Amino acid sequence: MEQSDKIRVLIVDDIQETRENIRRMLQFEPRVEIIGAAKNGAEAIELATEDKPDVVIMDINMPDMDGITATEAIRKKVPFAQIVVLSVQADPSYMRRAMLAGARDFLAKPPMIDELTTAVRRAGDMAIEEKSKISVPSATVAVGGTSGGNGGYNALNGKIVVVYSPKGGTGSSMIATNLAVSLQSSTTPTILVDANLQYGDVAVMLNEQVKNNVIDLTSRVDELDPDIVREVAAEHTQSGIHVLACPLQADMAEDVTGEQFAKLLSYLTTLYAFVVVDTVSYLTDVVQSALEYSDHIVLITTQEIPSIKSCNLFLSLANASGLRDRITFVINRFDKRITITPEKISENLRLPVDFVIPFEERIVTNSINRGLPFVVEDKTYPISKLILNLADSIKNKSQESTAVLARTSTSRR
Ligand SMILES: Nc1ncnc2c1ncn2[C@@H]1O[C@H](COP(=O)(O)OP(=O)(O)OP(=O)(O)O)[C@@H](O)[C@H]1O
Ligand SMILES: [Mg+2]
């Protein structure tokens, strides 16, 4: 057997017996070489980064870090590695999340021996092919143009911040635009993406007349490069953020699938420190993908009962799909004369309120009509300070999560 034909496999599972079973199942497959086994997500990322396996057999439910998060991290560090996920749940939403995170295959646990060997062989062939592409010398990355000043593009491990309100008209677009310009800096390049593909407001709120839009990227999502993105995304001159607007015709929204949108967001995290997504209340495939793929969700309500009720429904969904920990909860259009106080809302939803943004008709309406976010106009407005604080809190949370990842992967040294 040729050396290049060998499939180097890493096994990840928190239970030793399962690791041993998988090892046994694969021992008669001559192409497979087991290069190691990890008992948790952090260890998996570390071993994968060091030993660069072709195939990782990944458990989903592990105590410290789930297999989906580990899959995503490994795909970023070792792009040719193919991940085969094993899970007891044949739950489609898990499957979908795993696929979005870059998993190649999904098997129910415990797998049949034939099923497992076929999946590993298939994934192995794919990894070997990917590797051969990568080893062709390529100068494109180095000379790909780095006008953003962030050097190696893939170095950025950006965060996806989804601004979502389950009730329309509560200020999602207003918060998304002001938050994006607040997150933007020379070291944290930020892009604002409109996921309201039918009637998106982002471009209007920034007074941008855009020629290109989201569809120009989702339609060629498997062949993106930094130059294409730079060509399509508009630059908002007053703030420096980049903007991906919604299509010019409402019916074009149907052309975008959730998977394409997720792939686009994930690609953007290699170019930008923050990818802020404005959404619609209706859970379209695109909005669902954005939520599933997010690092942070800014959830908005007002003091009105229908809005609070919709938040409640969304929270049950968020709990079921493991999104709750990503939520920063904001009350917008706050008016202290209204008897439904933030405390009552928090109690009712059993969710701490992180920020309360006041009703400021003059400032907000003027800024929307002028197409200039109020944070750019005047940072000293109380409402601007609140949005800047929201941005800081998201920056801090992002740094913490990166630090935890770094700590867990170095603590074993
Ligand atoms: N804090 C605030 N103070 C005063 N007016 C506000 C505030 N936040 C939002 N508004 C107003 O509420 C309206 C809706 O805001 P926005 O378009 O941002 O909401 P949305 O959730 O994106 O709505 P849609 O569901 O239509 O996308 C706008 O007219 C805006 O001026
Ligand atoms: Mg909106």
Side-chain angles (χ1 to χ4, degrees):
M1 174 152 326
E2 275 185 47
Q3 192 53 34
S4 61
D5 207 25
K6 277 264 178 210
I7 303 170
R8 305 173 70 250
V9 176
L10 172 68
I11 301 170
V12 186
D13 199 297
D14 56 324
I15 299 167
Q16 195 199 346
E17 201 188 326
T18 313
R19 295 197 295 272
E20 284 313 312
N21 279 340
I22 294 172
R23 201 187 275 273
R24 259 197 300 277
M25 282 190 194
L26 291 173
Q27 68 188 343
F28 298 115
E29 170 57 43
R31 288 183 60 197
V32 167
E33 178 193 348
I34 308 282
I35 58 160
K39 60 183 177 308
N40 57 47
E43 203 173 293
I45 297 171
E46 187 179 350
L47 285 180
T49 313
E50 269 169 25
D51 301 333
K52 310 216 172 358
D54 297 311
V55 176
V56 180
I57 300 174
M58 176 78 78
D59 181 26
I60 282 213
N61 289 317
M62 290 182 292
D64 70 326
M65 176 196 292
D66 69 27
I68 293 176
T69 312
T71 295
E72 208 178 333
I74 292 174
R75 291 282 301 159
K76 279 190 181 148
K77 297 216 163 163
V78 193
F80 65 77
Q82 303 295 318
I83 320 270
V84 176
V85 162
L86 294 188
S87 171
V88 272
Q89 294 109 325
D91 177 343
S93 96
Y94 260 121
M95 220 181 278
R96 187 145 169 248
R97 280 183 60 210
M99 292 296 182
L100 288 174
R104 174 60 52 196
D105 218 332
F106 197 99
L107 300 179
K109 228 175 163 182
M112 313 279 278
I113 186 159
D114 293 357
E115 217 180 29
L116 182 69
T117 40
T118 311
V120 168
R121 246 185 267 138
R122 203 179 324 132
D125 285 339
M126 224 166 275
I128 291 164
E129 195 190 319
E130 291 288 310
K131 239 189 323 198
S132 71
K133 281 191 216 155
I134 295 169
S135 57
V136 174
S138 148
T140 47
V141 175
V143 287
T146 53
S147 67
N150 52 29
Y153 270 107
N154 282 316
L156 277 184
N157 180 11
K159 302 291 176 207
I160 298 172
V161 184
V162 175
V163 181
Y164 180 68
S165 152
K167 175 88 190 138
T170 49
S172 162
S173 302
M174 179 287 271
I175 290 181
T177 42
N178 280 283
L179 177 62
V181 301
S182 306
L183 287 167
Q184 159 73 30
S185 75
S186 58
T187 52
T188 53
T190 298
I191 187 164
L192 175 58
V193 182
D194 203 338
N196 182 350
L197 295 182
Q198 277 187 319
Y199 301 109
D201 299 318
V202 153
V204 182
M205 286 194 178
L206 293 166
N207 198 17
E208 285 289 332
Q209 267 116 26
V210 287
K211 299 186 296 294
N212 303 317
N213 63 66
V214 172
I215 289 188
D216 297 307
L217 295 183
T218 48
S219 59
R220 43 181 162 169
V221 79
D222 289 317
E223 50 203 77
L224 293 178
D225 68 42
D227 290 329
I228 297 180
V229 174
R230 208 171 314 115
E231 199 184 296
V232 172
E235 183 172 342
H236 181 246
T237 34
Q238 288 101 329
S239 66
I241 60 167
H242 288 183
V243 183
L244 271 183
C246 77
L248 295 171
Q249 288 157 277
D251 60 352
M252 286 171 83
E254 292 156 20
D255 297 344
V256 183
T257 67
E259 192 187 341
Q260 285 173 332
F261 197 74
K263 278 188 179 168
L264 169 62
L265 294 183
S266 144
Y267 183 75
L268 293 175
T269 60
T270 65
L271 306 184
Y272 297 90
F274 292 102
V275 180
V276 178
V277 186
D278 183 24
T279 55
V280 266
S281 51
Y282 185 67
L283 285 172
T284 60
D285 279 354
V286 163
V287 171
Q288 280 194 53
S289 281
L291 288 164
E292 281 172 19
Y293 225 45
S294 64
D295 295 287
H296 306 283
I297 298 171
V298 177
L299 177 67
I300 305 167
T301 186
T302 61
Q303 288 161 290
E304 287 170 334
I305 302 281
S307 172
I308 300 168
K309 179 218 70 186
S310 301
C311 271
N312 202 1
L313 286 177
F314 173 70
L315 284 172
S316 3
L317 251 176
N319 285 339
S321 39
L323 302 178
R324 195 187 173 102
D325 292 347
R326 307 180 194 173
I327 294 176
T328 299
F329 186 38
V330 174
I331 296 178
N332 186 32
R333 303 175 65 115
F334 171 70
D335 183 338
K336 62 174 181 303
R337 293 167 304 181
I338 292 171
T339 50
I340 303 180
T341 59
E343 291 71 30
K344 283 187 189 155
I345 296 174
S346 170
E347 211 171 285
N348 183 278
L349 297 177
R350 289 187 290 278
L351 184 70
V353 174
D354 297 295
F355 292 92
V356 177
I357 299 178
F359 185 77
E360 287 277 11
E361 190 163 27
R362 196 185 49 80
I363 296 177
V364 174
T365 309
N366 279 341
S367 105
I368 289 180
N369 287 342
R370 224 179 303 149
L372 185 65
F374 50 80
V375 170
V376 177
E377 189 179 283
D378 193 337
K379 288 192 169 41
T380 64
Y381 290 146
I383 190 170
S384 299
K385 286 187 188 159
L386 280 162
I387 301 274
L388 288 164
N389 289 345
L390 169 63
D392 282 345
S393 123
I394 284 173
K395 280 187 181 172
N396 289 339
K397 281 188 196 169
S398 303
Q399 267 161 6
E400 273 164 28
S401 65
T402 310
V404 167
L405 204 65
R407 258 203 313 278
T408 39
S409 63
T410 49
S411 63
R412 290 176 61 256
R413 288 178 191 282

